[in-house]
Each structure stands twice: as C-alpha cells, then as structure tokens.
Amino acid sequence: MLQNPTVVKPRYALFDGLRGATMLSMVLYHFSYDLFVIAKNHSQWPTLPAVHLWQQSICCTFILLAGFCWHWGRARSLRRGLLVNACGLLITLITWLFMPGQLVVFGVLNFIGCAILLTIPMHRLLDKIPCGAGIAVTALLFCFTKTIQWGSVGLFSWQIKVPGQLYTPLLTIFGFPAPGFWSSDFFPMMPWIFLFWLGYFLSCAFRKYTGRREWAMVRLPGFSKLGHWSLPVYMLHQPLCFAAAMALAEFLR
C-alpha cells in the first residue's frame, strides 16, 4: 500500500513580506538612531513626534505579526521561544560589555521570546474565546495598560494611578520597572503581551473566516525573503548600522 506523501503546509508569503518591510524600516530607524543620537549626540532625536511615531509603527507591527504567525509555528514554539530569548540575552550581554550607554535589558527579542513561550500553555484557553471578543478585549487592554510602566493605566485623559509598591526589580519585566531602571530598548510583558495576543486573535479570524487564501501567498519581491530571515537580519544589522553611521558621521565632518 502506497503511503501518502508528506503534505507541506503553505507558507503565507504576504506576511513574510509585511515582516520584511517592517524589518527594512527598522534597519533605517536604527541607522538613523546611531547617526543622530550616538554619532552626533542629538539626544532629543527619538522624542521628535514623527520619529516616535515611526518607532512605534515598527515595534507594533513587528509584535502584532509575531502573534499573528504563532499558530503556523506552534509545533516549534518551545524551540523558537528559547532561541529568540537566547538572542535577546546575547544582545544584552554585548551592549553591557561594549556599549553600556546603550544597554538593552528585556528588549523586543526577549519580550517576543517570552510571549511565544507564555502562549504555549495559554493557547487552549485563548482558543475558547470567540475571535471578535478576543480582538476587542486585547485591543482594549493594550490601550488601557499602555502607560503602566510610567505609573498609571487608563484611556485618554482618564487615568488611574498604579500603587508605587509594585515597581520593584522583581516585577520590572512585567511592566513595573523599579526606580532608576533604564534600558535603551524595553518591552515589558504589559502592555505588549496584549498586542501579541491581538495578533493571535486576528490570525484566528483570518483562519476562520477566509475561505480562499491565494492572496496571502502573494510574494512581495525582496521583502518576503527578508521577512523569512528576520531573526538573523535582526542580529546582524545592529553592528552594521552602527559601523555605517560612524563612518558617515566621520565623512561629513
């Protein structure tokens, strides 16, 4: 009796392309950061409204897509979560040794690694929640807790002060940074876990309500390939951006 050949699950290249476009935007942002902040000592550059919006668009899209794609890598979630966390810790070690002024503690890779691992025991519970309700609740919780690391939660001008006793070293990574804590790239579990799970529920809706998915397999030339190799690109682009920014700053003197 002939055995059925192994069925290869289709890869939705469009989402790789979106991740790749976000990666390119991130590379340009980090090059600009290295040039203006580190090389030219323009410390106020990241606080400019347009620059802050640029930075937020990158991290929000990156985390949303990570949650969206969790389902398709579920069988390898433990390995992926540990690998991404290891890469995040490596960045912390490198910045601590060579760039203490730009120290990264619990940056975006550590957050995504922990979010992947946390979703492993949580996905059965999450799957019991209707997609629409999950989208609405996680979006609301993300907005509600967006300012938690600065001591309050709420929406718009309505804010509730969070007890200061919660802001301790033990709870820093959960969104309650201890007094004096500083990191050049900090993504605590709250509020970002809700954005990750918003991506998870958007993926649930995509899988449940879209019948024909040919459009999701459309490749974005260049971007889809870049998105497929997003982790190596993330790890390698930082020193290259720094070197290029320093060289350009020296050339322009």
Side-chain angles (χ1 to χ4, degrees), residues 133-195:
I135 291 170
V137 170
T138 50
L140 180 64
L141 286 174
F142 174 68
C143 295
F144 185 78
T145 59
K146 190 69 168 67
T147 57
I148 194 169
Q149 70 185 83
W150 296 288
S152 67
V153 293
L155 297 172
F156 307 110
S157 60
W158 180 70
Q159 295 287 318
I160 304 172
K161 187 173 177 59
V162 179
Q165 295 88 337
L166 291 174
Y167 293 82
T168 63
L170 188 62
L171 297 178
T172 290
I173 68 169
F174 297 101
F176 308 97
F181 172 82
W182 185 85
S183 171
S184 65
D185 183 41
F186 181 51
F187 286 83
M189 296 305 291
M190 288 194 295
W192 299 104
I193 189 61
F194 300 121
L195 186 65

Side-chain angles (χ1 to χ4, degrees), residues 51-133:
V51 175
H52 177 72
L53 182 63
W54 182 17
Q55 187 265 347
Q56 288 293 293
S57 71
I58 295 168
C59 62
C60 287
T61 304
F62 204 44
I63 291 171
L64 196 68
L65 285 171
F68 191 97
C69 297
W70 187 91
H71 295 276
W72 298 318
R74 183 169 62 183
R76 303 184 302 276
S77 291
L78 179 60
R79 185 178 66 182
R80 285 194 306 123
L82 293 175
L83 174 62
V84 174
N85 260 313
C87 290
L89 291 174
L90 179 60
I91 289 176
T92 297
L93 178 62
I94 291 172
T95 55
W96 178 62
L97 290 174
F98 302 107
M99 300 177 65
Q102 298 296 320
L103 177 65
V104 174
V105 179
F106 208 78
V108 68
L109 289 186
N110 280 125
F111 163 74
I112 290 177
C114 288
I116 291 171
L117 295 176
L118 180 60
T119 306
I120 296 174
M122 289 292 294
H123 83 273
R124 294 186 185 277
L125 175 62
L126 295 174
D127 286 345
K128 294 180 181 179
I129 302 172
C131 300

